[in-house]
Amino acid sequence: MKLKEQTVSGIIWSFIDNSLTQIITFIVGIILARLLSPAEFGLVGMVGIFIVISQSFVDSGFSNALIRKKDCTTNDYSTIFYFNLAVSFFFYSVLFASSGLISDFFNEPKLIDITRVVSLSILINAFGLVQQTQLTKNIQIKIQTKISIVANISSGIIAVTMAYFGFSVWSLVFRNLSNVFVRNLLLWYFSKWRPSLVFSFSSLKEMFSFGSKLLFSGLLDKIFENIYYFIVGKFFSAEQLGYYSRADTFARLPSSNINGVVQRISYPVLVKIQDDDAALKRALKKLIKTTMFITFFLMIIMAASAESLIITLIGKKWIPSVEYLQLLCFSLMLFPLHSLNLNMLNVKGRSDLFLKLEIIKKIIAIPCCSYRNISGN
């Protein structure tokens, strides 16, 4: 299949994948929001930042490094596979041992068991990272779509059933675990690749030279993206964190969906024409114009209808989420543009500039966050 045909097919299937995934997640979220309390969503949100940070270390930017490298060998793939497993086991052990400290920090005794169980997702995810990377590298989005739909439907059914029968916060915990388990099981089923008993330090060093900068960039981004969960969970209540997490889920529905489609396809496709600067510029301009027009339109509509949307879909008990939702809609409008530009840096191999930009952005953001926290107090 030619590159153009691969791109069109990939965009279509990526759109189907993201759309159906978001719809399924959205519907399941609405049902769970009616069955569970805001506080129960807040408890899971408190652990989220630790899971996200650990997962960033597990991948360490190697997925992008493997996609960008044109002549990946069995040694490359196997080395990264075993590295992922080792790092995931380390971080699971750290979170398991630290669960008591996390519980004390948030003053929530339930977080000990929740942290230890949710953290299993880090271990499970490590088994399928290389298979996922290979499918993306080869623009095999149709297979990923099937996997994603099955995983989301099955985990949604498990979560709703558990919530209905009174398992409260554990329905959210096992929704996450079952999704990760089914997804990685299917990745192994559909992928023909299996790790060999080899580990190459030279391969790891080569991948790390590119991926390490993406690792630190990703860490900065994930920490800042999830820091509000941490702050709200510490200084306010699990209930308030629940309101924020629901608003965040709603706000990211259109923005993340569009960005996910564009990101998944644009990176492996643009990598194939990375040496043709003129073609890269044309492709980037087209992506930006189309993506931003759709994103702005959808986010403005959502912000304008926030109150009626919240009341109609999840009920009046979630009214405090409205203000959060409106603010988040405006803050996420430029998210796809930001991602596309950073994507181009990866395509050109400038992970060093990627990291510098992330550091500058976070330095600028710190005074803003501090001012907002002072003003809020």
Side-chain angles (χ1 to χ4, degrees), residues 224-293:
F224 269 74
E225 186 179 309
N226 292 272
I227 196 67
Y228 302 113
Y229 285 83
F230 190 79
I231 293 172
V232 174
K234 172 61 179 176
F235 297 104
F236 296 91
S237 63
E239 185 178 30
Q240 285 297 321
L241 182 55
Y243 292 135
Y244 177 83
S245 68
R246 285 295 85 196
D248 189 50
T249 300
F250 273 73
R252 291 184 182 277
L253 183 62
S255 181
S256 296
N257 189 22
I258 296 169
N259 184 65
V261 172
V262 176
Q263 284 284 88
R264 182 189 289 183
I265 299 303
S266 65
Y267 186 55
V269 169
L270 293 176
V271 161
K272 295 181 185 297
I273 56 172
Q274 60 183 289
D275 298 322
D276 188 343
D277 289 342
L280 279 175
K281 286 181 181 179
R282 289 195 299 271
L284 183 61
K285 285 181 179 179
K286 288 181 181 179
L287 286 170
I288 289 176
K289 287 179 180 178
T290 305
T291 302
M292 295 313 299
F293 175 79

Side-chain angles (χ1 to χ4, degrees), residues 5 16 57 66 95 108 149 161 166 182 193 244 257 265 309:
E5 294 173 345
I16 292 172
F57 274 104
L66 287 171
L95 288 176
E108 290 286 354
I149 292 172
T161 303
V182 172
W193 179 84
Y244 177 83
N257 189 22
I265 299 303
L309 195 66

